[in-house]
Amino acid sequence: MVLRRLVAVVAVGMVTACGSSTAQTADRSAGETISSTAQATGSAAATKPASPAVPATGGSGYSATLSARLVTTESVPPGFTVQIATVMAQDAGDQRSSADLSCADMIPLLSARRLTGTPSAMAAATLSYDADPDVFWVATEVLRTYADDGARRAMTDLRTFIGRCPTVVVSSGLGVGERCRFAVAPGPQLGDDSIHVSNISTSGSDPLEWDSILVRIGTALVVVQEEGNEPGDDKYLTQLAEAAVRRYQTTGS
């Protein structure tokens, strides 16, 4: 539980195991996540926390304009808080061929934490549900826009990579020995194209899910990823993906 709560303060980090992210330590001027604050009430039912303001500036790749199109607490199920990130993890660039990479080296690509191509702008947020003391559920939303056909290519490459490496054992770094299973799973049909990536990691007898739903809308990708939740506990994933797509589509010019 403590480890899962730590994930809530991480917006987007470099992948070190099947789906985990490392913490980004930065002050606010360099791109700290900006958290919303819950409003306490005297009743048993908590009110929605206020959505955080979008930071005007951030690190390389950060876009305030795109960040304004992330979900807000008003657009997600009750009980969620939103933390906007201003530090973006780099994608894989032109590394489209996996011929020279082992499956273990491809875990960041297989898990959809990194994608092939180079976005022209990015935005990200951590979405955490903590309204019930017995339930803590964490996800991230990542928006990417491209100046070319990068969104379509990234989706095609992801399907190809998963077909090549459906099962991977972590061979070095954090999580060594962990077994990761990847698959294209049934999911909602959203946008111009969508894919549900099933990502289950097992270390000993304790499996965790890091599933993702990726949606292409024109030259943009809307991605929602759950962060190490218990298998089968993905009831919010589709709801958040649908909310993210609606928010993106209704906030465009």
Side-chain angles (χ1 to χ4, degrees):
M1 178 64 75
V2 172
L3 176 60
R4 289 171 67 189
R5 287 179 183 275
L6 286 175
V7 177
V9 301
V10 180
V12 180
M14 295 300 292
V15 175
T16 52
C18 294
S20 60
S21 301
T22 57
Q24 299 278 358
T25 303
D27 62 23
R28 182 153 300 178
S29 64
E32 182 181 70
T33 58
I34 310 301
S35 175
S36 57
T37 302
Q39 303 295 319
T41 67
S43 63
T47 60
K48 275 184 175 290
S51 290
V54 176
T57 61
S60 176
Y62 168 77
S63 167
T65 300
L66 195 58
S67 291
R69 303 180 71 175
L70 292 162
V71 294
T72 65
T73 54
E74 292 76 23
S75 60
V76 294
F80 273 91
T81 58
V82 178
Q83 296 172 289
I84 296 175
T86 55
V87 173
M88 304 294 115
Q90 286 189 332
D91 272 334
D94 294 330
Q95 185 183 343
R96 298 191 63 208
S97 173
S98 60
D100 297 328
L101 293 176
S102 70
C103 288
D105 291 333
M106 290 176 59
I107 286 175
L109 291 168
L110 292 164
S111 64
R113 301 288 153 170
R114 298 181 69 193
L115 300 175
T116 53
T118 304
S120 55
M122 294 181 68
T126 301
L127 317 174
S128 56
Y129 178 88
D130 200 14
D132 185 333
D134 297 322
V135 179
F136 188 70
W137 198 94
V138 185
T140 58
E141 179 190 3
V142 183
L143 302 179
R144 296 171 170 91
T145 56
Y146 299 81
D148 54 15
D149 200 29
R152 189 190 303 273
R153 292 197 302 269
M155 297 277 277
T156 298
D157 290 343
L158 179 58
R159 290 183 169 100
T160 299
F161 296 156
I162 291 173
R164 179 190 166 203
C165 299
T167 302
V168 183
V169 176
V170 179
S171 58
S172 63
L174 182 65
V176 63
E178 188 173 344
R179 181 175 295 273
C180 314
R181 290 183 289 128
F182 303 96
V184 176
Q189 301 300 304
L190 301 169
D192 298 314
D193 185 20
S194 59
I195 178 174
H196 176 187
V197 176
S198 171
N199 175 6
I200 298 178
S201 65
T202 304
S203 178
S205 59
D206 299 322
L208 289 175
E209 278 189 347
W210 309 81
D211 282 16
S212 305
I213 292 178
L214 296 86
V215 182
R216 183 178 65 82
I217 303 172
T219 59
L221 285 179
V222 177
V223 182
V224 175
Q225 302 166 317
E226 62 174 322
E227 302 286 348
N229 299 303
E230 295 180 1
D233 188 19
D234 56 359
K235 61 182 179 180
Y236 293 117
L237 184 63
T238 296
Q239 294 180 51
L240 291 175
E242 291 172 342
V245 169
R246 284 195 300 270
R247 172 73 179 170
Y248 181 82
Q249 291 177 321
T250 57
T251 54
S253 56

